[in-house]
């Protein structure tokens, strides 16, 4: 990994491996207990142990929330029931009529949610493609800027530092969906963002067995406002799922190293393949896309694969291949998708942690069977 930053006094790898350890003085349990209790006894009138009701605060969720805050270097971390509920929570801050500037090449579900907000008359969205577009679109009318970098599925990066300059000039909030890179590759709050969020279903959870979201705020004030809103609306992460997320996070550093190494190996292979037109990879992380030469062969190619699984989602230990046109990005109108390069010859890969030789051999045999 390019970044090996410190979390407090220790390295991130150490911090991750020990999430929840040294926190249970009564039993000394190394693993965080799952507190299923929804309610908590009050010692007497007007007193509380600090825990009243699990929607408001839960000891297992608290462990993962504070770990998320440390990892993204924010003041407050919140764990939600899904990536979409994390996005919904962040958007609950803005009054009706607010203007939002967003990256055009977005996760299809975010695009669908923004369309829904627009339909309800909540907000006005302006979509832009690059840094120059952001500079032009962000004005004093802008309440917030929503960015994915790298973009999905075209894998282009924008400079968060530059965009943070524009958002600060106009007192707009900079929100970054950091699902693809994770804090091990990019820490948006350190680059000037105000809020970072994740679909923790992906790399943070890492095992394709958990639906979860994360929101981390740079300032205490914004974080407290969001915590208030989360308690009010209720899409919190359950105690068991909080524990699964802790479990996943412990190996995040190891996994990201292998995801990245595998992605680089697959990219090198695809670039040399006569069946491939174009490979899109930003040089970091475990996500890549490519355009197949003969689009008619996609169905057969997917059937030929034996190690890669044809499925949506990403960031788990198993390698997945996705066809964004009919899966993750199906809700973006065809003309719009194709106008910015999301064409029907494009496939997206999330490299897992398998041996790269096997991944390459699988792609190779799947192409060669086409003929
Ligand atoms: C999956 C995903 C989401 C939505 O998260 P869920 O956990 O599926 O609700 C949001 N943003 C990105 C970049 C994603 O990949």
């Amino acid at each position: 990994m390019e970044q090996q930053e410190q979390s407090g006094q220790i390295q991130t790898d150490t911090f991750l491996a020990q999430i929840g350890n040294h926190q249970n003085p009564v039993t000394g349990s190394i693993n965080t207990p799952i507190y299923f209790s929804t309610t908590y006894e009050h010692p007497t009138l007007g007193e509380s142990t600090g825990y009243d009701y699990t929607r408001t605060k839960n000891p297992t969720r608290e462990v993962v929330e504070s770990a998320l805050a440390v990892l993204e270097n924010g003041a407050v971390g919140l764990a939600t029931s899904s990536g979409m509920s994390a996005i919904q929570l962040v958007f609950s801050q803005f009054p009706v009529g607010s203007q939002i500037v967003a990256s055009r090449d977005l996760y299809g579900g975010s695009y669908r949610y923004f369309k829904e907000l627009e339909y309800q008359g909540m907000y006005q969205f302006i979509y832009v493609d690059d840094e120059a577009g952001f500079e032009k679109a962000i004005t004093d009318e802008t309440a917030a800027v929503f960015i994915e970098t790298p973009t999905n599925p075209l894998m282009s990066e924008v400079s968060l530092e530059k965009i943070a300059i524009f958002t600060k000039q106009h007192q707009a909030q900079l929100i970054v969906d950091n699902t693809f890179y994770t804090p091990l590759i990019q820490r948006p709050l350190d680059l000037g963002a105000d809020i970072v969020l994740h679909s923790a279903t992906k790399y943070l959870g890492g095992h394709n067995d958990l639906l979860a979201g994360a929101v981390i705020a740079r300032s205490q004030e914004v974080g407290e406002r969001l915590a208030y809103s989360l308690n009010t609306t209720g899409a919190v992460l359950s105690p068991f799922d909080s524990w699964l997320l802790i479990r996943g996070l412990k190996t995040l550093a190891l996994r990201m190293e292998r995801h990245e190494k595998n992605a680089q190996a697959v990219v090198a292979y695809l670039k040399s393949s006569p069946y491939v037109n174009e490979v899109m990879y930003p040089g970091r992380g475990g996500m890549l896309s490519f355009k197949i030469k003969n689009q008619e062969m996609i169905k057969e190619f997917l059937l030929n694969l034996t190690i890669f699984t044809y499925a949506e989602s990403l960031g788990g230990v198993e390698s997945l291949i996705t066809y964004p046109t009919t899966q993750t990005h199906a809700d973006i109108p065809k003309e719009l998708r194709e106008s910015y390069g999301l064409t029907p010859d494009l496939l997206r890969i999330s490299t897992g942690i398998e041996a790269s030789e096997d991944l390459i051999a699988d792609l190779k045999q799947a192409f060669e069977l086409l003929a």
Side-chain angles (χ1 to χ4, degrees):
M1 313 294 349
E2 290 190 2
Q3 216 168 347
Q4 192 48 265
E5 288 198 8
Q6 299 210 325
S7 299
Q9 298 304 306
I10 53 173
Q11 299 293 320
T12 303
D13 308 42
T14 312
F15 175 79
L16 284 166
Q18 301 227 344
I19 294 173
N21 194 8
H22 304 300
Q23 292 188 0
N24 303 290
V26 176
T27 63
S29 91
I30 286 162
N31 203 292
T32 297
I34 309 177
Y35 286 87
F36 282 118
S37 187
T38 51
T39 188
Y40 296 84
E41 181 178 359
H42 291 270
T44 180
L45 202 65
E47 274 183 33
S48 162
T49 58
Y51 302 94
D52 308 316
Y53 187 63
T54 235
R55 171 160 34 73
T56 315
K57 201 167 160 189
N58 172 280
T60 313
R61 193 170 70 240
E62 217 178 4
V63 169
V64 78
E65 288 183 327
S66 62
L68 291 166
V70 171
L71 287 171
E72 286 286 12
N73 203 15
V76 176
L78 298 168
T80 65
S81 59
S82 70
M84 289 318 299
S85 64
I87 295 173
Q88 189 177 25
L89 175 67
V90 169
F91 276 90
S92 71
Q93 303 172 92
F94 310 117
V96 173
S98 295
Q99 184 199 83
I100 318 285
V101 175
S103 339
R104 192 183 313 275
D105 182 24
L106 280 181
Y107 171 64
S110 302
Y111 176 82
R112 180 176 56 198
Y113 178 52
F114 296 167
K115 279 283 146 207
E116 194 68 13
L117 288 171
E118 234 165 20
Y119 173 74
Q120 292 167 355
M122 291 291 286
Y123 311 131
Q124 180 211 353
F125 286 86
I126 298 174
Y127 295 97
V128 297
D129 294 296
D130 50 23
E131 283 153 23
F134 279 106
E135 181 167 19
K136 220 171 115 208
I138 300 167
T139 67
D140 288 343
E141 302 301 305
T142 310
V145 174
F146 185 90
I147 293 185
E148 277 180 41
T149 180
T151 63
N152 172 12
L154 299 178
M155 307 296 158
S156 62
E157 290 184 297
V158 291
S159 161
L160 291 178
E161 284 122 314
K162 276 194 197 149
I163 293 165
I165 295 171
F166 312 141
T167 53
K168 285 201 172 68
Q169 272 167 4
H170 298 285
Q171 276 95 46
Q173 200 177 61
L174 180 55
I175 305 161
V176 178
D177 181 337
N178 202 27
T179 299
F180 271 34
Y181 269 172
T182 82
L184 292 184
I185 297 179
Q186 167 175 276
R187 282 180 166 160
L189 301 182
D190 290 351
L191 303 173
D194 301 290
I195 293 181
V196 55
L197 61 88
H198 287 265
S199 168
T201 311
K202 316 296 168 54
Y203 287 109
L204 302 187
H207 295 74
N208 289 321
D209 58 5
L210 163 70
L211 191 74
V215 177
I216 301 100
R218 186 155 53 133
S219 81
Q220 190 71 30
E221 189 193 344
V222 171
E224 279 172 14
R225 176 69 213 157
L226 290 169
Y228 178 84
S229 178
L230 181 58
N231 179 41
T232 303
T233 53
V236 295
L237 194 63
S238 78
F240 184 74
D241 287 346
S242 297
W243 181 86
L244 271 179
L245 183 51
I246 293 168
R247 166 96 164 214
L249 282 170
K250 283 173 181 273
T251 55
L252 179 65
L254 273 178
R255 287 187 285 108
M256 287 310 289
E257 235 175 85
R258 179 62 82 91
H259 288 304
E260 185 169 285
K261 193 172 143 266
N262 281 354
Q264 287 167 351
V266 167
V267 164
Y269 161 70
L270 288 174
K271 281 189 170 162
S272 73
S273 167
Y275 298 90
V276 171
N277 260 343
E278 190 185 343
V279 184
M280 286 156 261
Y281 180 63
R284 332 186 258 176
M287 295 300 298
L288 61 114
S289 295
F290 68 96
K291 292 189 172 180
I292 196 164
K293 265 202 186 130
N294 185 350
Q295 184 186 314
E296 307 301 315
M297 289 182 168
I298 286 182
K299 186 173 179 185
E300 198 187 334
F301 172 70
L302 292 172
L303 282 170
N304 291 346
L305 291 166
T306 62
I307 291 179
F308 280 89
T309 305
Y310 168 49
E312 34 203 305
S313 203
L314 62 118
V317 292
E318 302 90 356
S319 289
L320 302 184
I321 187 161
T322 304
Y323 186 47
T325 294
T326 60
Q327 293 181 306
T328 48
H329 292 68
D331 283 316
I332 302 176
K334 183 172 182 296
E335 300 71 40
L336 178 60
R337 270 192 250 128
E338 296 187 4
S339 73
Y340 66 78
L342 204 179
T343 46
D345 52 355
L346 184 125
L347 288 158
R348 191 187 77 184
I349 281 179
S350 166
T351 49
I353 62 164
E354 304 92 340
S356 60
E357 297 89 322
D358 292 329
L359 298 180
I360 291 167
D362 193 32
L363 293 167
K364 195 159 183 287
Q365 64 81 28
F367 280 128
E368 282 168 2
L369 280 175
L370 292 176

